Amino acid sequence: MFTKEKIDAIFQGAIIGKEIIFLETATSTNDVAMELAAQRENPEGIVVIADTQTKGRGRFGRTWISPPGVNFYSTVILRPSIPPHEAALITLMAAVAVVSAIREFTGLKAGIKWPNDILINGKKTGGILSEMKSASDRISYLAVGIGINVNMSLNDFPDDISALSTSLKIESGEIFDRVELLEKIFAELERAYKILLKGNKKALINDWIRLNCTLGSNVLVKNHDRIISGIAENINDNGELIIRLPSGETETVTAGDVTILKDN
Ligand code: BTN
């Protein structure tokens, strides 16, 4: 069961989870976290967890399906002392932490689709939505929202996304304890955050490369009105995706929606 008492017992002396706000129902844990961060003097490490969300949000304004009793919806507030243009690294860090935790906890071969979709067998099982408030040259705070389809069944997904979506239960046939998963995710996040705070961006990028399922594939990247197609070749030190175009030139993509094309 997903209770505040169980969750409180887990976080002792950590940066992440110094205060846990557990809600049966939230509009969106990101909204709750952004409001809290604006009110608190030092909100770093506060974690908001909900059993269900009425307005769960994904990237590009999409809805994040958030039924009660089955999944993981959580947002952590961070205040890293890095410049705003490096904020994408925090989202990559969260993807690394989530995939490491899922692999360790379930044995499933989860992978990261650039920049931070969590896939298993090519289908989406989780995602990360980071939102930032920044002053001119520094990050005031970041709300890093993590959603994972844990114990959802295939018929719980709306028809339009069921072919592209999955859950840990669908992939493994097992039901997982969400509190134990949460413990693993935040332990991994704490480990990765400390590495980043020490300035070791390279270690983080290397972890992302080890856990990704994008590089080397033919991809389509939708970036505003443009579609770029080519081979996803690498990511650079800012976490941007480098595409090798059919012309042989490369293009660096800062943001976008990637489709991995299957080879024939
Ligand atoms: C995506 O892949 O589009 C990102 C999905 C992020 C979903 C999580 S669930 C917890 C947090 N609250 C939200 O409203 N969104 C994020």
Side-chain angles (χ1 to χ4, degrees), residues 77-135:
I77 303 170
L78 297 176
R79 292 179 78 192
S81 47
I82 58 174
H85 70 267
E86 289 188 356
L89 289 174
I90 298 287
T91 314
L92 295 194
M93 172 196 82
V96 164
V98 170
V99 165
S100 302
I102 289 177
R103 285 188 178 195
E104 189 192 334
F105 186 56
T106 67
L108 292 166
K109 199 162 180 293
I112 310 169
K113 182 174 72 121
W114 185 86
N116 44 49
D117 280 353
I118 315 297
L119 304 193
I120 301 176
N121 291 324
K123 294 187 178 179
K124 183 151 168 167
T125 196
I128 290 150
L129 179 69
S130 293
E131 292 169 305
M132 170 169 65
K133 172 107 174 54
S134 60

Side-chain angles (χ1 to χ4, degrees), residues 28-30 53 56-59 64 74 117 124 127-128 146-147:
S28 151
T29 54
N30 270 36
Q53 301 183 112
R57 289 183 282 113
R59 292 169 73 223
W64 188 257
S74 179
D117 280 353
K124 183 151 168 167
I128 290 150
I146 301 168

Side-chain angles (χ1 to χ4, degrees), residues 52-69:
T52 180
Q53 301 183 112
T54 54
K55 289 188 183 152
R57 289 183 282 113
R59 292 169 73 223
F60 307 112
R62 294 178 188 138
T63 299
W64 188 257
I65 308 293
S66 308

Side-chain angles (χ1 to χ4, degrees), residues 3 12 14 22 45 63 99 109 111 113 122 138 144 211 240 246 259:
T3 65
Q12 301 281 340
F22 178 76
T63 299
V99 165
K109 199 162 180 293
K113 182 174 72 121
R138 64 180 178 87
V144 183
L211 297 170
E240 295 160 330
T259 305

